[in-house]
Amino acid sequence: MTILSIHDDNPLADGRQSERALKVRRGVQRLLTELRHAVLPELTLASGRRADLISLSAKGEIWIIEIKTSIEDFRVDRKWPEYRLHCDRLFFATHAQVPLDIFPEDCGLLLSDGYEAHMLRNAPEHRLAPATRKSVTQAFARTAGQRLMHAEWAAERNGELGQSIRDIVGGTRDG
């Protein structure tokens, strides 16, 4: 299932995440941005699994962040080890009401309050093979480009861009 729909008013929201998960995500996105990472939520990987957050560092390192908002959320989800096949570092992100000792020591750990996040434990590095790195990076770039285009279309439909898209297509903004 794609995160975007050109028929929706907000193509950047897919409605699958709880309010608490979205708060954790927002804080983690801000931290990753401060670390000079480009960040995408909900990227479907070649395995068919969907990463809650994936980031690309300025050095080209790929991180996947799995968001967990409760003990039960962590217990029922056993797919997270597969994410290691698609990233250099694997992290869990959570909030203060979840006990931190439930998360495996061989993964990084981020704590978010919805406005910012802190890295409590860095993730060990597991360098991707070059072919896998290329595949994940291309999926990241294509998805980011598609989401930007769909967001622009939605903004135009909602009257938020005014003549901008028509000007760009018509070439009157060039120069």
Side-chain angles (χ1 to χ4, degrees):
M1 174 180 226
T2 183
I3 187 172
L4 300 171
S5 166
I6 63 172
H7 305 292
D8 218 351
D9 284 344
N10 183 355
L12 300 178
D14 70 358
R16 289 183 279 193
Q17 298 76 27
S18 68
E19 286 300 314
R20 181 148 299 204
L22 290 173
K23 274 183 72 173
V24 170
R25 182 171 97 181
R26 182 177 59 216
V28 171
Q29 286 172 311
R30 289 177 176 172
L31 171 66
L32 292 169
T33 299
E34 288 174 13
L35 295 173
R36 298 180 46 225
H37 285 235
V39 185
L40 275 179
E42 308 299 331
L43 181 69
T44 301
L45 305 166
S47 65
R49 298 288 186 205
R50 186 175 37 84
D52 291 337
L53 282 173
I54 187 165
S55 75
L56 185 61
S57 77
K59 295 178 181 178
E61 193 172 75
I62 297 168
W63 293 7
I64 289 180
I65 298 89
E66 180 68 4
I67 296 171
K68 296 297 170 203
T69 58
S70 68
I71 295 171
E72 187 64 18
D73 185 15
F74 178 74
R75 280 194 189 131
V76 299
D77 181 5
R78 291 294 160 208
K79 68 185 181 307
W80 62 265
E82 296 176 34
Y83 292 140
R84 282 204 171 103
L85 303 173
H86 306 281
C87 64
D88 296 304
R89 296 180 191 268
L90 178 61
F91 291 83
F92 283 98
T94 194
H95 58 89
Q97 286 71 47
V98 177
L100 302 177
D101 61 350
I102 67 170
F103 298 105
E105 291 286 327
D106 63 341
C107 294
L109 186 57
L110 307 172
L111 184 63
S112 171
D113 65 5
Y115 298 99
E116 61 183 358
H118 299 281
M119 186 180 300
L120 302 180
R121 181 174 61 235
N122 201 355
E125 184 180 46
H126 303 278
R127 296 292 295 171
L128 287 174
T132 304
R133 178 175 312 287
K134 179 179 178 181
S135 174
V136 173
T137 302
Q138 285 179 335
F140 186 101
R142 289 181 51 77
T143 301
Q146 289 171 342
R147 289 184 188 173
L148 177 59
M149 179 183 65
H150 288 285
E152 286 178 353
W153 288 350
E156 182 181 26
R157 277 194 316 276
N158 296 331
E160 297 166 14
L161 290 181
Q163 291 291 101
S164 296
I165 295 297
R166 287 187 257 323
D167 291 345
I168 292 167
V169 171
T172 57
R173 294 192 78 191
D174 298 338

